[in-house]
PDB file of all heavy atoms in Angstrom:
ATOM      1  N   ARG A  66      87.002 131.205 221.709  1.00  0.00           N
ATOM      2  CA  ARG A  66      85.869 130.531 222.378  1.00  0.00           C
ATOM      3  C   ARG A  66      85.183 129.650 221.333  1.00  0.00           C
ATOM      4  O   ARG A  66      84.802 130.138 220.278  1.00  0.00           O
ATOM      5  CB  ARG A  66      84.895 131.535 222.965  1.00  0.00           C
ATOM      6  CG  ARG A  66      83.786 130.882 223.774  1.00  0.00           C
ATOM      7  CD  ARG A  66      82.910 131.904 224.459  1.00  0.00           C
ATOM      8  NE  ARG A  66      83.646 132.868 225.248  1.00  0.00           N
ATOM      9  CZ  ARG A  66      83.989 132.682 226.531  1.00  0.00           C
ATOM     10  NH1 ARG A  66      83.672 131.579 227.140  1.00  0.00           N
ATOM     11  NH2 ARG A  66      84.652 133.617 227.182  1.00  0.00           N
ATOM     12  N   CYS A  67      85.037 128.384 221.639  1.00  0.00           N
ATOM     13  CA  CYS A  67      84.497 127.401 220.695  1.00  0.00           C
ATOM     14  C   CYS A  67      83.115 126.937 221.130  1.00  0.00           C
ATOM     15  O   CYS A  67      82.900 126.635 222.306  1.00  0.00           O
ATOM     16  CB  CYS A  67      85.418 126.198 220.584  1.00  0.00           C
ATOM     17  SG  CYS A  67      87.084 126.604 220.030  1.00  0.00           S
ATOM     18  N   GLU A  68      82.215 126.899 220.185  1.00  0.00           N
ATOM     19  CA  GLU A  68      80.867 126.398 220.443  1.00  0.00           C
ATOM     20  C   GLU A  68      80.921 124.891 220.719  1.00  0.00           C
ATOM     21  O   GLU A  68      81.840 124.203 220.277  1.00  0.00           O
ATOM     22  CB  GLU A  68      79.954 126.699 219.270  1.00  0.00           C
ATOM     23  CG  GLU A  68      79.695 128.188 219.076  1.00  0.00           C
ATOM     24  CD  GLU A  68      79.084 128.848 220.307  1.00  0.00           C
ATOM     25  OE1 GLU A  68      78.146 128.281 220.887  1.00  0.00           O
ATOM     26  OE2 GLU A  68      79.557 129.941 220.688  1.00  0.00           O
ATOM     27  N   PRO A  69      79.939 124.354 221.437  1.00  0.00           N
ATOM     28  CA  PRO A  69      79.931 122.920 221.754  1.00  0.00           C
ATOM     29  C   PRO A  69      79.963 122.045 220.497  1.00  0.00           C
ATOM     30  O   PRO A  69      79.473 122.423 219.447  1.00  0.00           O
ATOM     31  CB  PRO A  69      78.602 122.735 222.491  1.00  0.00           C
ATOM     32  CG  PRO A  69      78.267 124.088 223.028  1.00  0.00           C
ATOM     33  CD  PRO A  69      78.783 125.060 222.012  1.00  0.00           C
ATOM     34  N   LEU A  70      80.577 120.864 220.666  1.00  0.00           N
ATOM     35  CA  LEU A  70      80.611 119.871 219.594  1.00  0.00           C
ATOM     36  C   LEU A  70      79.883 118.613 220.081  1.00  0.00           C
ATOM     37  O   LEU A  70      80.178 118.089 221.152  1.00  0.00           O
ATOM     38  CB  LEU A  70      82.050 119.477 219.246  1.00  0.00           C
ATOM     39  CG  LEU A  70      82.835 120.420 218.356  1.00  0.00           C
ATOM     40  CD1 LEU A  70      84.260 119.899 218.176  1.00  0.00           C
ATOM     41  CD2 LEU A  70      82.165 120.572 217.007  1.00  0.00           C
ATOM     42  N   ALA A  71      78.959 118.133 219.267  1.00  0.00           N
ATOM     43  CA  ALA A  71      78.274 116.877 219.578  1.00  0.00           C
ATOM     44  C   ALA A  71      79.221 115.708 219.303  1.00  0.00           C
ATOM     45  O   ALA A  71      80.226 115.858 218.579  1.00  0.00           O
ATOM     46  CB  ALA A  71      77.019 116.751 218.713  1.00  0.00           C
ATOM     47  N   VAL A  72      78.939 114.566 219.861  1.00  0.00           N
ATOM     48  CA  VAL A  72      79.728 113.360 219.626  1.00  0.00           C
ATOM     49  C   VAL A  72      79.854 113.121 218.126  1.00  0.00           C
ATOM     50  O   VAL A  72      78.869 113.169 217.395  1.00  0.00           O
ATOM     51  CB  VAL A  72      79.080 112.142 220.316  1.00  0.00           C
ATOM     52  CG1 VAL A  72      79.792 110.852 219.924  1.00  0.00           C
ATOM     53  CG2 VAL A  72      79.078 112.322 221.830  1.00  0.00           C
ATOM     54  N   GLY A  73      81.084 112.930 217.642  1.00  0.00           N
ATOM     55  CA  GLY A  73      81.344 112.659 216.240  1.00  0.00           C
ATOM     56  C   GLY A  73      81.348 113.880 215.340  1.00  0.00           C
ATOM     57  O   GLY A  73      81.686 113.782 214.162  1.00  0.00           O
ATOM     58  N   GLU A  74      80.987 115.048 215.868  1.00  0.00           N
ATOM     59  CA  GLU A  74      80.919 116.254 215.050  1.00  0.00           C
ATOM     60  C   GLU A  74      82.299 116.901 214.905  1.00  0.00           C
ATOM     61  O   GLU A  74      83.112 116.855 215.815  1.00  0.00           O
ATOM     62  CB  GLU A  74      79.958 117.255 215.718  1.00  0.00           C
ATOM     63  CG  GLU A  74      79.749 118.523 214.932  1.00  0.00           C
ATOM     64  CD  GLU A  74      78.747 119.460 215.616  1.00  0.00           C
ATOM     65  OE1 GLU A  74      78.492 119.317 216.828  1.00  0.00           O
ATOM     66  OE2 GLU A  74      78.247 120.348 214.912  1.00  0.00           O
ATOM     67  N   SER A  75      82.540 117.499 213.721  1.00  0.00           N
ATOM     68  CA  SER A  75      83.762 118.255 213.452  1.00  0.00           C
ATOM     69  C   SER A  75      83.404 119.712 213.236  1.00  0.00           C
ATOM     70  O   SER A  75      82.297 120.037 212.832  1.00  0.00           O
ATOM     71  CB  SER A  75      84.457 117.730 212.186  1.00  0.00           C
ATOM     72  OG  SER A  75      84.966 116.441 212.406  1.00  0.00           O
ATOM     73  N   ALA A  76      84.392 120.581 213.484  1.00  0.00           N
ATOM     74  CA  ALA A  76      84.189 122.014 213.253  1.00  0.00           C
ATOM     75  C   ALA A  76      85.497 122.645 212.831  1.00  0.00           C
ATOM     76  O   ALA A  76      86.562 122.308 213.361  1.00  0.00           O
ATOM     77  CB  ALA A  76      83.669 122.693 214.520  1.00  0.00           C
ATOM     78  N   LYS A  77      85.412 123.584 211.876  1.00  0.00           N
ATOM     79  CA  LYS A  77      86.577 124.336 211.445  1.00  0.00           C
ATOM     80  C   LYS A  77      86.751 125.528 212.369  1.00  0.00           C
ATOM     81  O   LYS A  77      85.779 126.210 212.701  1.00  0.00           O
ATOM     82  CB  LYS A  77      86.396 124.812 209.997  1.00  0.00           C
ATOM     83  CG  LYS A  77      87.577 125.604 209.475  1.00  0.00           C
ATOM     84  CD  LYS A  77      87.331 126.045 208.041  1.00  0.00           C
ATOM     85  CE  LYS A  77      88.474 126.913 207.556  1.00  0.00           C
ATOM     86  NZ  LYS A  77      88.224 127.408 206.198  1.00  0.00           N
ATOM     87  N   ARG A  78      87.979 125.790 212.785  1.00  0.00           N
ATOM     88  CA  ARG A  78      88.320 126.920 213.635  1.00  0.00           C
ATOM     89  C   ARG A  78      89.338 127.783 212.888  1.00  0.00           C
ATOM     90  O   ARG A  78      90.197 127.248 212.175  1.00  0.00           O
ATOM     91  CB  ARG A  78      88.929 126.467 214.956  1.00  0.00           C
ATOM     92  CG  ARG A  78      88.140 125.387 215.684  1.00  0.00           C
ATOM     93  CD  ARG A  78      86.843 125.910 216.204  1.00  0.00           C
ATOM     94  NE  ARG A  78      86.216 124.894 217.078  1.00  0.00           N
ATOM     95  CZ  ARG A  78      84.931 124.817 217.280  1.00  0.00           C
ATOM     96  NH1 ARG A  78      84.112 125.672 216.696  1.00  0.00           N
ATOM     97  NH2 ARG A  78      84.430 123.894 218.065  1.00  0.00           N
ATOM     98  N   SER A  79      89.301 129.100 213.085  1.00  0.00           N
ATOM     99  CA  SER A  79      90.233 130.009 212.409  1.00  0.00           C
ATOM    100  C   SER A  79      90.567 131.216 213.281  1.00  0.00           C
ATOM    101  O   SER A  79      89.710 131.686 214.033  1.00  0.00           O
ATOM    102  CB  SER A  79      89.634 130.539 211.103  1.00  0.00           C
ATOM    103  OG  SER A  79      89.389 129.514 210.194  1.00  0.00           O
TER     104      SER A  79
END
Side-chain angles (χ1 to χ4, degrees):
R66 185 174 308 272
C67 300
E68 293 302 314
L70 281 177
V72 172
E74 183 178 19
S75 291
K77 180 180 176 183
R78 311 291 189 206
S79 297

